[in-house]
Amino acid sequence: MIENAAAAPPSIDSLNKIYFETNTIKEPPPSSASELNGVDNLYFPDWMEGQWDLTQTLVNTEAPLGLKYMGGPNGDLQIAQKTMQEQILQNGVPYQLQVNFIKTKWGVAEDRLQNLKNRLNTFAKKDVVSTIGYADVGGSNRPSVLKLGGTELDPLQTTLVYFKGPLAQKTFLVGHEESFRNSNSWTGYELTRSIVALTNQNTSPPITADQQNIYYLERVSDTEVRGKLRLCGFLNPQQDKLYFEAKNRAVSIADYTLVFRRKVDDIISVK
């Protein structure tokens, strides 16, 4: 965990050591209050702008604190074993999807609407998303973006998804950090909080989950970027009975390789 958000940004090597060379990862803090200016977001390198064909492949999955911590709010071992077995079956399977990154006044941001929809549908192996849109929050909202010179197309932090079924998911960006080694290498992370709730008459309480998405990206050429993605899952104090035992450490880790190839019809427009 990066202790002092007000200090100079950590080097890319220190971020890689903290997040990719160990399986003991602590949940990072929220972004500082100074960033809650209405246009806060995770901003990627300029060379990520545009439409890409992405190949994402799972290469490692683990439960660093033990399987029971992956068993849902009650630490159910059977649920945990089933979850792990399903993930192991995906090991080495390449998933193909299209992703987009949009240039804004403040930097290049992920097109969360397109990318999240494509991820959800691709990994579910069917169309599961009914509608998706942005939601305004204090740190990232459309009125502030427009007032400060942005556009209606600029990505925001928070998304709201309605699935094809009685289910909805709201995802917030809680914190982020990024750093360059040089003009062609970049590491960054975002900490998100997702709330999943039924939209019918069922009275089951919503489920809240925190996840850290850690990226390492390296530009190979103007048309190819390679990297890796580590997804770290954390327990939530409001619902998970093992939260205090976890001591703010990641309870699940999934490592992916990433290969971005710029879409052919996007190459000319970028040059």
Side-chain angles (χ1 to χ4, degrees):
M1 180 174 66
I2 300 167
E3 298 292 346
N4 188 359
S11 70
I12 191 171
D13 294 312
S14 66
L15 282 176
N16 282 337
K17 185 175 182 179
I18 293 170
Y19 291 125
F20 286 108
E21 298 178 11
T22 178
N23 63 1
T24 302
I25 299 175
K26 288 203 169 185
E27 186 168 4
S31 294
S32 62
S34 62
E35 294 182 82
L36 302 182
N37 52 18
V39 296
D40 184 42
N41 217 324
L42 175 66
Y43 291 107
F44 288 79
D46 289 344
W47 34 263
M48 284 303 298
E49 177 190 0
Q51 295 273 355
W52 301 82
D53 291 318
L54 169 62
T55 302
Q56 181 169 328
T57 307
L58 180 67
V59 294
N60 174 60
T61 183
E62 55 187 292
L65 304 185
L67 269 181
K68 68 177 183 178
Y69 289 89
M70 295 179 61
N74 294 316
D76 189 304
L77 189 56
Q78 288 187 331
I79 292 176
Q81 290 172 335
K82 182 179 180 181
T83 300
M84 179 59 74
Q85 289 170 357
E86 291 173 349
Q87 291 187 5
I88 290 174
L89 289 175
Q90 299 304 312
N91 196 61
V93 178
Y95 282 85
Q96 313 287 339
L97 60 152
Q98 294 182 359
V99 294
N100 185 36
F101 294 83
I102 298 174
K103 185 177 182 179
T104 75
K105 180 180 177 180
W106 302 277
V108 173
E110 180 180 12
D111 181 349
R112 296 183 188 276
L113 300 189
Q114 175 182 315
N115 297 1
L116 179 56
K117 179 179 180 180
N118 287 350
R119 286 190 189 104
L120 291 169
N121 288 339
T122 298
F123 283 92
K125 299 181 180 179
K126 61 181 180 180
D127 290 341
V128 296
V129 175
S130 177
T131 62
I132 182 171
Y134 288 119
D136 289 334
V137 297
S140 176
N141 59 81
R142 189 63 62 199
S144 292
V145 167
L146 296 176
K147 183 177 179 180
L148 294 174
T151 75
E152 290 282 357
L153 298 178
D154 289 351
L156 302 181
Q157 286 184 357
T158 304
T159 56
L160 180 59
V161 178
Y162 287 95
F163 293 91
K164 294 181 178 180
L167 195 68
Q169 174 180 298
K170 193 171 188 178
T171 303
F172 305 84
L173 179 60
V174 179
H176 59 85
E177 187 77 72
E178 52 272 331
S179 183
F180 280 91
R181 171 184 290 130
N182 54 51
S183 60
N184 293 317
S185 300
W186 178 91
T187 287
Y189 76 77
E190 61 180 10
L191 177 66
T192 64
R193 176 163 295 156
S194 296
I195 301 174
V196 179
L198 293 168
T199 56
N200 55 16
Q201 300 301 314
N202 192 300
T203 58
S204 297
I207 296 176
T208 301
D210 288 2
Q211 179 174 285
Q212 186 179 14
N213 308 325
I214 309 167
Y215 297 91
Y216 172 73
L217 302 177
E218 188 166 310
R219 178 168 60 170
V220 178
S221 67
D222 289 341
T223 60
E224 183 176 341
V225 172
R226 291 179 176 264
K228 51 190 176 182
L229 169 65
R230 169 166 278 196
L231 305 182
C232 301
F234 300 92
L235 300 186
N236 186 274
Q238 296 181 341
Q239 66 184 26
D240 294 303
K241 72 175 188 178
L242 297 176
Y243 171 79
F244 292 103
E245 290 183 38
K247 297 180 180 178
N248 212 37
R249 294 170 294 175
V251 300
S252 66
I253 293 175
D255 291 314
Y256 294 85
T257 59
L258 305 174
V259 180
F260 298 85
R261 292 187 173 89
R262 193 176 296 281
K263 291 182 65 64
V264 175
D265 55 1
D266 194 51
I267 294 175
I268 297 176
S269 64
V270 171
K271 287 185 175 180

